Amino acid sequence: MRPGRAVGTHITLGGDLTVGRLGFGALRLTGPHHWGPPARPDKAAEVARCAVELGVTFIDTADVYGLGANEELLATALHPYPPGLVVSTKAGEVRPSPHQWRVLGRPDYLRQQAELSLRRLRLERIELFQLHRVDPQVPLEDQVGALKQLQDEGKIRHIGLSEVTVEQIEQARGVARIASVQNKYNLYDRRYEKELAHCEREGIAFIAWKPLAGTARPAPDSALARVAAQAGATTTQVALAWLLHRSPVVMPIPGTASLSHLRANMAAADIALDDEQVTLLDEE
């Protein structure tokens, strides 16, 4: 493989919370349609523990993942949490049925869910608590204000947003300091380029969810396939490496229920792409 350029392996959230840039999305450690607990909780717990053993220091979950079962599983598998491990959670959506996700951002509901997440995760304070979605029926200032109140009470440390625009980020920053933005972003879906650029300028972490979409089986003549062949790596590993090279504020959170996929994903942190390869992927 040609010599590549190194990238930073860590990022500091909110000025004082340092985590590894390659995290783990825990959504898949749930039942079918992410409804209820997984069929094999022991296997799911093993994946969570292996992630930490492999160096993950940032795990992403949410109150609606498995209807709370995901948070409970992480606590069962990992509590007492090792020093430096951040388990971040979110509130702002509800699940009326296995096939429905609906936004709900009423301040009293957000506060209730934060309290339940604290209980399920066995925490006294959640290090990063994110607004899962912006509820268009509730003023954004009120939604962020509820999180700011929780922060002032010492129940959450940092506040994050998910699936937001630049305008919404700035609106929220008028109420509280925003440590992170979690938007869908990957090699083949870059609709949030403007938001990523804004986060980079403002020193806000950009958590990329669904970072591997479309990258497992690219066209044989694609730039991704060519670079993977050059690097002696899988296309998904190169896709993760590209995200780490894309910007120093990007934090990919690939999720899996497979130990082998988890190990392969974490190995992507060791892939150094050169400038030519990064340019090829940028133009993909």
Side-chain angles (χ1 to χ4, degrees):
M1 181 172 132
R2 295 178 297 185
R5 65 185 189 198
V7 296
T9 58
H10 290 78
I11 187 171
T12 300
L13 305 173
D16 62 4
L17 183 62
T18 300
V19 295
R21 286 180 59 206
L22 187 54
F24 176 72
L27 171 64
R28 295 193 179 186
L29 304 183
T30 53
H33 309 296
H34 314 304
W35 182 268
R40 292 288 306 275
D42 55 333
K43 292 295 184 182
E46 184 181 6
V47 171
R49 287 191 291 267
C50 183
V52 175
E53 291 167 2
L54 291 172
V56 166
T57 56
F58 182 86
I59 296 177
D60 174 83
T61 183
D63 62 338
V64 292
Y65 294 174
L67 304 180
N70 197 244
E71 292 177 331
E72 291 173 346
L73 183 141
L74 292 173
T76 298
L78 302 172
H79 191 274
Y81 302 109
L85 177 64
V86 171
V87 180
S88 169
T89 193
K90 304 182 287 292
E93 285 197 308
V94 293
R95 301 287 306 279
S97 76
H99 302 284
Q100 291 178 296
W101 299 70
R102 292 182 182 170
V103 177
L104 182 55
R106 293 199 309 268
D108 56 349
Y109 179 74
L110 295 175
R111 287 188 56 84
Q112 169 188 286
Q113 294 309 105
E115 296 285 358
L116 291 173
S117 289
L118 283 165
R119 185 183 304 175
R120 287 190 292 255
L121 289 169
R122 306 179 199 173
L123 290 170
E124 294 184 1
R125 180 180 70 176
I126 296 167
E127 298 298 280
L128 177 66
F129 191 84
Q130 303 171 76
L131 180 64
H132 206 159
R133 292 291 185 274
V134 174
D135 187 341
Q137 304 302 317
V138 180
L140 179 56
E141 291 86 353
D142 292 352
Q143 296 173 70
V144 178
L147 304 192
K148 179 64 166 62
Q149 186 177 12
L150 287 161
Q151 186 179 54
D152 292 342
E153 294 169 1
K155 294 178 179 178
I156 64 176
R157 181 173 179 179
H158 291 299
I159 297 169
L161 307 171
S162 183
E163 290 298 285
V164 287
T165 64
V166 170
E167 293 73 23
Q168 289 170 327
I169 295 168
E170 288 307 295
Q171 190 178 352
R173 291 177 77 197
V175 179
R177 181 175 185 176
I178 301 302
S180 66
V181 166
Q182 181 170 326
N183 284 4
K184 183 180 178 182
Y185 189 85
N186 55 64
L187 185 64
Y188 294 124
D189 186 347
R190 307 185 208 176
R191 74 188 77 176
Y192 287 116
E193 286 284 9
K194 184 169 65 171
E195 286 68 28
L196 170 54
H198 185 72
C199 287
E200 186 171 337
R201 285 193 301 269
E202 300 299 323
I204 299 170
F206 187 91
I207 303 170
W209 68 274
K210 217 163 188 180
L212 296 177
T215 63
R217 298 177 182 82
D221 60 346
S222 66
L224 178 56
R226 298 199 307 273
V227 172
Q230 293 170 0
T234 68
T235 54
T236 54
Q237 287 174 325
V238 169
L240 287 173
W242 174 79
L243 283 168
L244 294 171
H245 283 74
R246 177 67 186 82
S247 166
V249 302
V250 170
M251 296 174 58
I253 50 167
T256 181
S258 161
L259 287 171
S260 61
H261 288 168
L262 171 64
R263 294 187 179 100
N265 289 343
M266 292 305 298
D270 298 324
I271 297 174
L273 304 175
D274 63 30
D275 290 340
E276 181 182 343
Q277 291 169 329
V278 171
T279 299
L280 280 172
L281 294 169
D282 286 345
E283 297 172 351
E284 177 80 317

